[in-house]
Amino acid sequence: ETRNLALFRNPPSLYFSAERPPNPCVIHIPRGRPLKPPPRENMPFFDANEYEEQMEEMEAAMEEIQRDVDALQLENQLFAQYLKRNTSGVESVEEPKKKRRGKLPSTLTIEQKLEIVQSELDEVTKERNESKVTSEKLIDTLRAVLEETDLRVGELKKDAYEFKRDIVVGAENMRTGRTMAEKVVRYMEDKLRQRDAMIEKLRLKNATLKTQKQKVEQQLRQKEEMGDVLHYIDFHQLQIENKQYIQKIDERNEELLKLKLTTGTTVQVLNTLKSRLASLLTESTSISKEIASRTSQLAKLRSDAASVTSELHQSARLAARLSDPGEADQGGQMPQILDYVTQKKEMYEISVAVKNWERKVEIAEMAAKKAKAKLRKATTSGGTMRN
């Protein structure tokens, strides 16, 4: 147990060297002779877990060293590019440099590295801008070539269609089945005249463009002589003004978007109110019609009630006269029994009719009250909507 504990605390380096290295993360490999594992019978006992932990630590250290090496390689490539760009005329002054090489510092400071990186960044940015300008010019050229090719393809398709229509089909002799030479010659002469007219048109256009170019060049020379050439400061100021105007345009676009959203919401509310107003107007129209019908019905009922009341008064007077015997004696006439029965029957019918008409009047008055309440409610709703 004591021997195993000692081996666990100080595990031997089995495959790397005879002596244990001072740093377990650094592998010391002797040069000039290959590593050989010790004989199995002389191999001391060690802990496998400790050995695996050491191997994992060594692998982590190797990965970190590899990352450092990659970073140093990139840094060396950057320094080599900077040195290649800034060593013009090195061959001519090679000897003095060899004399001064011993005095050069072996490492660079952070400021020097930053200066080199900034210089390389500026060069890369410059190359990228130049490549971008060249690419844009190439793209414009290719786009123009594509447009010209499309136009040319369209013209060739048109010519092929016209040739097939006028020569292959139109110039064929119906009797012999051969193409007539006169139509072919005429077709070719027409095409040549069209080409000549196109050449003349392009020549005049080219002359006009040359004249415009000369005028523009003359104006530029005049501006250069007068000192009105656009300098870098003016161009920078124009860029600043352009950015300000772009920012204002963005703000106006945002305001316009907000106003559009507000307008959409307002339109939705307006449509809702319009639909509600239309329903209320429809309801008001129906209520007005109902009120008019109920009013006419009420007027009719009132006239009927007035006639019934007058008839009731007459019947009451007649009943009072009939019930007074002194008045009958004064008249000198006594009513007969049959007349009494007839009048009693009429009085009973009249009283029944009066009760019916009173019931109708009550029903009409209740309907009139309901109609007035609906009208008052509709008037209140209409006033609220107008507000």
Side-chain angles (χ1 to χ4, degrees), residues 312 345-356 358:
L312 183 62
K345 179 182 178 182
E346 291 178 356
M347 186 180 69
Y348 178 74
E349 292 177 354
I350 289 170
S351 62
V352 172
V354 168
K355 289 180 180 180
N356 292 332
E358 288 178 353

Side-chain angles (χ1 to χ4, degrees), residues 271-286:
N271 292 330
T272 305
L273 293 176
K274 281 184 178 180
S275 61
R276 185 179 177 186
L277 179 61
S279 62
L280 289 175
L281 287 175
T282 306
E283 186 178 357
S284 176
T285 305
S286 62

Side-chain angles (χ1 to χ4, degrees), residues 33 41 74 93 112 116 131 135 168 175 205 213 216 257 277-278 310 322 337-338 363 373 375:
R33 56 189 180 88
E41 58 273 8
L74 291 175
V93 291
Q112 292 174 346
I116 292 171
S131 301
S135 302
V168 177
R175 185 172 58 84
K205 188 176 181 180
K213 180 182 177 182
V216 172
L257 182 60
L277 179 61
S310 64
L322 291 175
I337 296 172
L338 185 60
I363 293 171
L375 180 61

Side-chain angles (χ1 to χ4, degrees), residues 65-203:
I65 291 170
Q66 186 64 36
R67 286 195 295 270
D68 294 339
V69 169
D70 294 337
L72 290 174
Q73 286 179 354
L74 291 175
E75 188 175 351
N76 289 333
Q77 290 177 3
L78 182 66
F79 292 159
Q81 291 177 1
Y82 177 78
L83 186 63
K84 185 177 179 181
R85 285 194 180 96
N86 294 276
T87 53
S88 58
V90 175
E91 292 80 2
S92 60
V93 291
E94 187 175 0
E95 294 298 330
K97 281 192 175 183
K98 287 182 179 179
K99 295 179 180 179
R100 294 194 301 268
R101 187 171 295 173
K103 299 179 182 180
L104 292 176
S106 60
T107 59
L108 296 175
T109 60
I110 299 297
E111 290 79 7
Q112 292 174 346
K113 290 182 179 180
L114 288 175
E115 183 180 358
I116 292 171
V117 170
Q118 187 64 37
S119 176
E120 288 298 315
L121 182 61
D122 295 338
E123 290 292 334
V124 171
T125 306
K126 183 179 178 182
E127 290 178 358
R128 188 191 66 181
N129 293 330
E130 291 177 356
S131 301
K132 185 177 180 181
V133 172
T134 306
S135 302
E136 289 177 354
K137 289 181 179 179
L138 182 60
I139 289 170
D140 294 336
T141 305
L142 292 175
R143 189 180 289 113
V145 171
L146 286 175
E147 291 177 357
E148 185 179 0
T149 304
D150 293 336
L151 292 174
R152 184 61 179 166
V153 168
E155 291 177 357
L156 289 174
K157 287 182 179 180
K158 184 179 178 182
D159 292 340
Y161 173 75
E162 292 178 354
F163 183 80
K164 183 178 180 180
R165 182 192 62 188
D166 298 336
I167 303 302
V168 177
V169 179
E172 184 179 359
N173 193 348
M174 300 298 294
R175 185 172 58 84
T176 60
R178 296 181 179 179
T179 304
M180 291 183 287
E182 294 82 4
K183 290 187 177 181
V184 176
V185 172
R186 192 182 306 115
Y187 177 80
M188 292 299 177
E189 289 178 353
D190 292 338
K191 288 295 179 181
L192 289 174
R193 280 195 296 270
Q194 290 178 5
R195 295 295 179 183
D196 293 337
M198 182 63 69
I199 290 170
E200 184 66 22
K201 183 179 178 180
L202 292 175
R203 188 183 63 79

Side-chain angles (χ1 to χ4, degrees), residues 212-228:
Q212 292 179 359
K213 180 182 177 182
Q214 291 177 359
K215 288 182 180 179
V216 172
E217 289 177 352
Q218 185 177 2
Q219 290 177 0
L220 288 175
R221 285 194 297 269
Q222 289 177 359
K223 286 183 179 181
E224 288 177 358
E225 291 175 359
M226 295 175 63
D228 294 337

